[in-house]
Amino acid sequence: MSFTSEQELNRLFEAQQAAFLKNSMPTLEERLDRLKRLEAAMKENRVAFQKSLDEDFGQHPALITDLFETGGVIGRSQYLQAYVGEWMKASPRDLDPAAHGGSTAQVIRQPKGVIGNMAPWNFPIECALVMANDMMAAGNRVIVKASRQTPATSALMQSVIANKFDETELTVVQGDSVDFAEYFCTLPWNHLTYTGGGNIAKGVLRHAAENLTQVTLELGGKNPTVFSEEGVCEHLVERFLYNRFFKGGQVCTSPDYAMVPRDRMDEWVELAKSTWTGMYPQYVGHQDATGIINKRHFDRLLGYLEEARAAGCEVISLNDDEPDPTTLQIPMYIVVDPDDNLEVMQEEMFGPITAVKPYDSFDEAIEYINKRDRPLAAYFVGRERDLIEKFQTNILSGGIGINVFGLQGAHPALPFGGTGASGMGCHSGFEGFLTYTHNKSVFECADDSPIMASLKAPYGDYAKAVCDAMFVET
């Protein structure tokens, strides 16, 4: 990969700034052209991206690349092409003629300018370019900082984008050190988006604050899944498991821990073992398995298991597989009822390890979740309508999935974002378009405006009459 120096980043930033000032309100045709080129870039390089992710992860299923990496970019682009023309239009606002006469007001959807997007390693294509879709649909220029931990994919993405876009429209950069990432945050972006961990996010915010840069943070957290009585069944436990192992659990919306009615715990564990073994008699080494991104994270996950065993927890490999230090693949593990002070309940797993906790009442489960840091996603598994309504209304989280895991954050019509420790702001959907848009108010005053007449100096009886009218009890 061609690493980018700080000087080169400065040049690219200044070039995009100059290009934006020359064309600060791109036409619909210009925006659609950019979205279509990004869509085409994914389609034309389908196999190449499959191979690059396979190289970076040791093993990465090609169909997962199609569905959730390049396919996610294609889906977002197509959705935006259908709606951006409507979203771009100015939004007129009603004014009371008795107060404002013939005055008019509207909100203009104005691009913000030059936007930085810091992409993570777990979705190195999707998180880099689905958001670039949002940013370009809103009329902005974009510089993506690709992840150093996925060098093959980042290099390919840099080349592919350079072949489809002028550097003043969209470009991909990557430095060779943490210092470059920090420097990236210090530029006076018109908006900066970061996807990753909370600790680094604090540094991103500190740097952005120096320039009063608006920031979107897409973080993560320990996403809970609450099973109801009806949810403890083979079909729904299986659905939980095949979403839990997706990308080896290295997904910010992955269900991190499960809560099960206490009297159904043994049944849940047995269902998990039997259904998983039926799906994968041997998972490690299977073509569907995704490797852990590197040895450091592989060792981190195994360390969590060792701590849990030392604390006396039952740790179960669901089909008796063992971790493979060569492929960095880890089998599906569950840790039964760990103490809250253990790492499996303190840290976001980002791996195929699931803690399973019992609860005695549904209210207790909700209270347990809400007393912890607010997760990016929370899931309910069950059919009871009253519990579904209670869960989605009372749980404090970025998004909610009911008998589904992740689609609340993957569908292009829905906003995706966290709250509190799981992030701020959002992308995707109309709300994502607004994230990267300045909503500029425009008020055009008519000569017959009573309010304007009341403001004419020196203030007299007319101004007093207008003020008195505001305080009349109704």
Side-chain angles (χ1 to χ4, degrees), residues 284-296:
V284 172
H286 194 281
Q287 64 181 7
D288 291 353
T290 299
I292 302 303
I293 187 63
N294 55 38
K295 185 66 162 54
R296 178 173 66 84

mmCIF file with all atom_site columns, all heavy atoms in Angstrom, residues 284-296:
data_model
loop_
_atom_site.group_PDB
_atom_site.id
_atom_site.type_symbol
_atom_site.label_atom_id
_atom_site.label_alt_id
_atom_site.label_comp_id
_atom_site.label_asym_id
_atom_site.label_entity_id
_atom_site.label_seq_id
_atom_site.pdbx_PDB_ins_code
_atom_site.Cartn_x
_atom_site.Cartn_y
_atom_site.Cartn_z
_atom_site.occupancy
_atom_site.B_iso_or_equiv
_atom_site.pdbx_formal_charge
_atom_site.auth_seq_id
_atom_site.auth_comp_id
_atom_site.auth_asym_id
_atom_site.auth_atom_id
_atom_site.pdbx_PDB_model_num
ATOM 1  N N   . VAL A 1 284 ? -14.076 -24.865 13.518 1.00 0.00 ? 284 VAL A N   1
ATOM 2  C CA  . VAL A 1 284 ? -12.703 -24.426 13.252 1.00 0.00 ? 284 VAL A CA  1
ATOM 3  C C   . VAL A 1 284 ? -12.172 -25.181 12.040 1.00 0.00 ? 284 VAL A C   1
ATOM 4  O O   . VAL A 1 284 ? -12.185 -26.407 11.997 1.00 0.00 ? 284 VAL A O   1
ATOM 5  C CB  . VAL A 1 284 ? -11.805 -24.657 14.489 1.00 0.00 ? 284 VAL A CB  1
ATOM 6  C CG1 . VAL A 1 284 ? -10.348 -24.384 14.145 1.00 0.00 ? 284 VAL A CG1 1
ATOM 7  C CG2 . VAL A 1 284 ? -12.255 -23.775 15.633 1.00 0.00 ? 284 VAL A CG2 1
ATOM 8  N N   . GLY A 1 285 ? -11.758 -24.426 11.030 1.00 0.00 ? 285 GLY A N   1
ATOM 9  C CA  . GLY A 1 285 ? -11.310 -25.019 9.782  1.00 0.00 ? 285 GLY A CA  1
ATOM 10 C C   . GLY A 1 285 ? -12.371 -25.052 8.701  1.00 0.00 ? 285 GLY A C   1
ATOM 11 O O   . GLY A 1 285 ? -12.064 -25.300 7.532  1.00 0.00 ? 285 GLY A O   1
ATOM 12 N N   . HIS A 1 286 ? -13.620 -24.779 9.080  1.00 0.00 ? 286 HIS A N   1
ATOM 13 C CA  . HIS A 1 286 ? -14.711 -24.755 8.099  1.00 0.00 ? 286 HIS A CA  1
ATOM 14 C C   . HIS A 1 286 ? -14.586 -23.505 7.235  1.00 0.00 ? 286 HIS A C   1
ATOM 15 O O   . HIS A 1 286 ? -14.110 -22.457 7.682  1.00 0.00 ? 286 HIS A O   1
ATOM 16 C CB  . HIS A 1 286 ? -16.052 -24.771 8.827  1.00 0.00 ? 286 HIS A CB  1
ATOM 17 C CG  . HIS A 1 286 ? -17.223 -25.076 7.945  1.00 0.00 ? 286 HIS A CG  1
ATOM 18 N ND1 . HIS A 1 286 ? -17.796 -24.141 7.112  1.00 0.00 ? 286 HIS A ND1 1
ATOM 19 C CD2 . HIS A 1 286 ? -17.931 -26.227 7.754  1.00 0.00 ? 286 HIS A CD2 1
ATOM 20 C CE1 . HIS A 1 286 ? -18.805 -24.691 6.467  1.00 0.00 ? 286 HIS A CE1 1
ATOM 21 N NE2 . HIS A 1 286 ? -18.908 -25.959 6.841  1.00 0.00 ? 286 HIS A NE2 1
ATOM 22 N N   . GLN A 1 287 ? -15.058 -23.589 5.990  1.00 0.00 ? 287 GLN A N   1
ATOM 23 C CA  . GLN A 1 287 ? -14.960 -22.451 5.078  1.00 0.00 ? 287 GLN A CA  1
ATOM 24 C C   . GLN A 1 287 ? -15.796 -21.253 5.530  1.00 0.00 ? 287 GLN A C   1
ATOM 25 O O   . GLN A 1 287 ? -15.558 -20.115 5.097  1.00 0.00 ? 287 GLN A O   1
ATOM 26 C CB  . GLN A 1 287 ? -15.405 -22.862 3.674  1.00 0.00 ? 287 GLN A CB  1
ATOM 27 C CG  . GLN A 1 287 ? -16.870 -23.273 3.581  1.00 0.00 ? 287 GLN A CG  1
ATOM 28 C CD  . GLN A 1 287 ? -17.270 -23.685 2.174  1.00 0.00 ? 287 GLN A CD  1
ATOM 29 O OE1 . GLN A 1 287 ? -16.418 -23.784 1.288  1.00 0.00 ? 287 GLN A OE1 1
ATOM 30 N NE2 . GLN A 1 287 ? -18.549 -23.929 1.967  1.00 0.00 ? 287 GLN A NE2 1
ATOM 31 N N   . ASP A 1 288 ? -16.781 -21.467 6.398  1.00 0.00 ? 288 ASP A N   1
ATOM 32 C CA  . ASP A 1 288 ? -17.603 -20.365 6.895  1.00 0.00 ? 288 ASP A CA  1
ATOM 33 C C   . ASP A 1 288 ? -16.950 -19.597 8.038  1.00 0.00 ? 288 ASP A C   1
ATOM 34 O O   . ASP A 1 288 ? -17.426 -18.521 8.416  1.00 0.00 ? 288 ASP A O   1
ATOM 35 C CB  . ASP A 1 288 ? -18.964 -20.881 7.389  1.00 0.00 ? 288 ASP A CB  1
ATOM 36 C CG  . ASP A 1 288 ? -19.851 -21.371 6.265  1.00 0.00 ? 288 ASP A CG  1
ATOM 37 O OD1 . ASP A 1 288 ? -19.474 -21.198 5.086  1.00 0.00 ? 288 ASP A OD1 1
ATOM 38 O OD2 . ASP A 1 288 ? -20.926 -21.930 6.558  1.00 0.00 ? 288 ASP A OD2 1
ATOM 39 N N   . ALA A 1 289 ? -15.898 -20.159 8.614  1.00 0.00 ? 289 ALA A N   1
ATOM 40 C CA  . ALA A 1 289 ? -15.276 -19.538 9.779  1.00 0.00 ? 289 ALA A CA  1
ATOM 41 C C   . ALA A 1 289 ? -14.436 -18.335 9.354  1.00 0.00 ? 289 ALA A C   1
ATOM 42 O O   . ALA A 1 289 ? -13.744 -18.370 8.338  1.00 0.00 ? 289 ALA A O   1
ATOM 43 C CB  . ALA A 1 289 ? -14.401 -20.545 10.517 1.00 0.00 ? 289 ALA A CB  1
ATOM 44 N N   . THR A 1 290 ? -14.505 -17.267 10.164 1.00 0.00 ? 290 THR A N   1
ATOM 45 C CA  . THR A 1 290 ? -13.664 -16.094 9.953  1.00 0.00 ? 290 THR A CA  1
ATOM 46 C C   . THR A 1 290 ? -12.568 -16.085 11.007 1.00 0.00 ? 290 THR A C   1
ATOM 47 O O   . THR A 1 290 ? -12.834 -16.310 12.193 1.00 0.00 ? 290 THR A O   1
ATOM 48 C CB  . THR A 1 290 ? -14.486 -14.797 10.081 1.00 0.00 ? 290 THR A CB  1
ATOM 49 O OG1 . THR A 1 290 ? -15.505 -14.796 9.086  1.00 0.00 ? 290 THR A OG1 1
ATOM 50 C CG2 . THR A 1 290 ? -13.611 -13.568 9.884  1.00 0.00 ? 290 THR A CG2 1
ATOM 51 N N   . GLY A 1 291 ? -11.348 -15.819 10.584 1.00 0.00 ? 291 GLY A N   1
ATOM 52 C CA  . GLY A 1 291 ? -10.247 -15.748 11.532 1.00 0.00 ? 291 GLY A CA  1
ATOM 53 C C   . GLY A 1 291 ? -10.305 -14.476 12.361 1.00 0.00 ? 291 GLY A C   1
ATOM 54 O O   . GLY A 1 291 ? -10.845 -13.458 11.935 1.00 0.00 ? 291 GLY A O   1
ATOM 55 N N   . ILE A 1 292 ? -9.761  -14.541 13.572 1.00 0.00 ? 292 ILE A N   1
ATOM 56 C CA  . ILE A 1 292 ? -9.596  -13.339 14.388 1.00 0.00 ? 292 ILE A CA  1
ATOM 57 C C   . ILE A 1 292 ? -8.531  -12.475 13.715 1.00 0.00 ? 292 ILE A C   1
ATOM 58 O O   . ILE A 1 292 ? -7.566  -12.978 13.153 1.00 0.00 ? 292 ILE A O   1
ATOM 59 C CB  . ILE A 1 292 ? -9.203  -13.711 15.827 1.00 0.00 ? 292 ILE A CB  1
ATOM 60 C CG1 . ILE A 1 292 ? -10.272 -14.632 16.444 1.00 0.00 ? 292 ILE A CG1 1
ATOM 61 C CG2 . ILE A 1 292 ? -9.035  -12.461 16.683 1.00 0.00 ? 292 ILE A CG2 1
ATOM 62 C CD1 . ILE A 1 292 ? -11.686 -14.071 16.461 1.00 0.00 ? 292 ILE A CD1 1
ATOM 63 N N   . ILE A 1 293 ? -8.686  -11.183 13.763 1.00 0.00 ? 293 ILE A N   1
ATOM 64 C CA  . ILE A 1 293 ? -7.905  -10.276 12.923 1.00 0.00 ? 293 ILE A CA  1
ATOM 65 C C   . ILE A 1 293 ? -6.400  -10.389 13.135 1.00 0.00 ? 293 ILE A C   1
ATOM 66 O O   . ILE A 1 293 ? -5.633  -10.283 12.193 1.00 0.00 ? 293 ILE A O   1
ATOM 67 C CB  . ILE A 1 293 ? -8.369  -8.809  13.118 1.00 0.00 ? 293 ILE A CB  1
ATOM 68 C CG1 . ILE A 1 293 ? -7.679  -7.869  12.128 1.00 0.00 ? 293 ILE A CG1 1
ATOM 69 C CG2 . ILE A 1 293 ? -8.156  -8.371  14.551 1.00 0.00 ? 293 ILE A CG2 1
ATOM 70 C CD1 . ILE A 1 293 ? -7.992  -8.140  10.679 1.00 0.00 ? 293 ILE A CD1 1
ATOM 71 N N   . ASN A 1 294 ? -5.946  -10.641 14.371 1.00 0.00 ? 294 ASN A N   1
ATOM 72 C CA  . ASN A 1 294 ? -4.502  -10.774 14.587 1.00 0.00 ? 294 ASN A CA  1
ATOM 73 C C   . ASN A 1 294 ? -4.251  -11.544 15.883 1.00 0.00 ? 294 ASN A C   1
ATOM 74 O O   . ASN A 1 294 ? -5.180  -11.856 16.639 1.00 0.00 ? 294 ASN A O   1
ATOM 75 C CB  . ASN A 1 294 ? -3.800  -9.408  14.622 1.00 0.00 ? 294 ASN A CB  1
ATOM 76 C CG  . ASN A 1 294 ? -4.391  -8.455  15.651 1.00 0.00 ? 294 ASN A CG  1
ATOM 77 O OD1 . ASN A 1 294 ? -4.773  -8.870  16.743 1.00 0.00 ? 294 ASN A OD1 1
ATOM 78 N ND2 . ASN A 1 294 ? -4.453  -7.169  15.323 1.00 0.00 ? 294 ASN A ND2 1
ATOM 79 N N   . LYS A 1 295 ? -2.991  -11.850 16.123 1.00 0.00 ? 295 LYS A N   1
ATOM 80 C CA  . LYS A 1 295 ? -2.606  -12.677 17.282 1.00 0.00 ? 295 LYS A CA  1
ATOM 81 C C   . LYS A 1 295 ? -2.921  -11.969 18.587 1.00 0.00 ? 295 LYS A C   1
ATOM 82 O O   . LYS A 1 295 ? -3.287  -12.626 19.581 1.00 0.00 ? 295 LYS A O   1
ATOM 83 C CB  . LYS A 1 295 ? -1.102  -12.980 17.194 1.00 0.00 ? 295 LYS A CB  1
ATOM 84 C CG  . LYS A 1 295 ? -0.578  -13.930 18.270 1.00 0.00 ? 295 LYS A CG  1
ATOM 85 C CD  . LYS A 1 295 ? -1.148  -15.326 18.134 1.00 0.00 ? 295 LYS A CD  1
ATOM 86 C CE  . LYS A 1 295 ? -0.320  -16.367 18.885 1.00 0.00 ? 295 LYS A CE  1
ATOM 87 N NZ  . LYS A 1 295 ? -0.095  -16.064 20.302 1.00 0.00 ? 295 LYS A NZ  1
ATOM 88 N N   . ARG A 1 296 ? -2.799  -10.661 18.626 1.00 0.00 ? 296 ARG A N   1
ATOM 89 C CA  . ARG A 1 296 ? -3.078  -9.924  19.869 1.00 0.00 ? 296 ARG A CA  1
ATOM 90 C C   . ARG A 1 296 ? -4.532  -10.108 20.286 1.00 0.00 ? 296 ARG A C   1
ATOM 91 O O   . ARG A 1 296 ? -4.825  -10.384 21.459 1.00 0.00 ? 296 ARG A O   1
ATOM 92 C CB  . ARG A 1 296 ? -2.769  -8.442  19.679 1.00 0.00 ? 296 ARG A CB  1
ATOM 93 C CG  . ARG A 1 296 ? -3.068  -7.593  20.913 1.00 0.00 ? 296 ARG A CG  1
ATOM 94 C CD  . ARG A 1 296 ? -2.576  -6.176  20.724 1.00 0.00 ? 296 ARG A CD  1
ATOM 95 N NE  . ARG A 1 296 ? -3.301  -5.470  19.681 1.00 0.00 ? 296 ARG A NE  1
ATOM 96 C CZ  . ARG A 1 296 ? -4.474  -4.837  19.875 1.00 0.00 ? 296 ARG A CZ  1
ATOM 97 N NH1 . ARG A 1 296 ? -5.043  -4.852  21.077 1.00 0.00 ? 296 ARG A NH1 1
ATOM 98 N NH2 . ARG A 1 296 ? -5.045  -4.184  18.885 1.00 0.00 ? 296 ARG A NH2 1
#
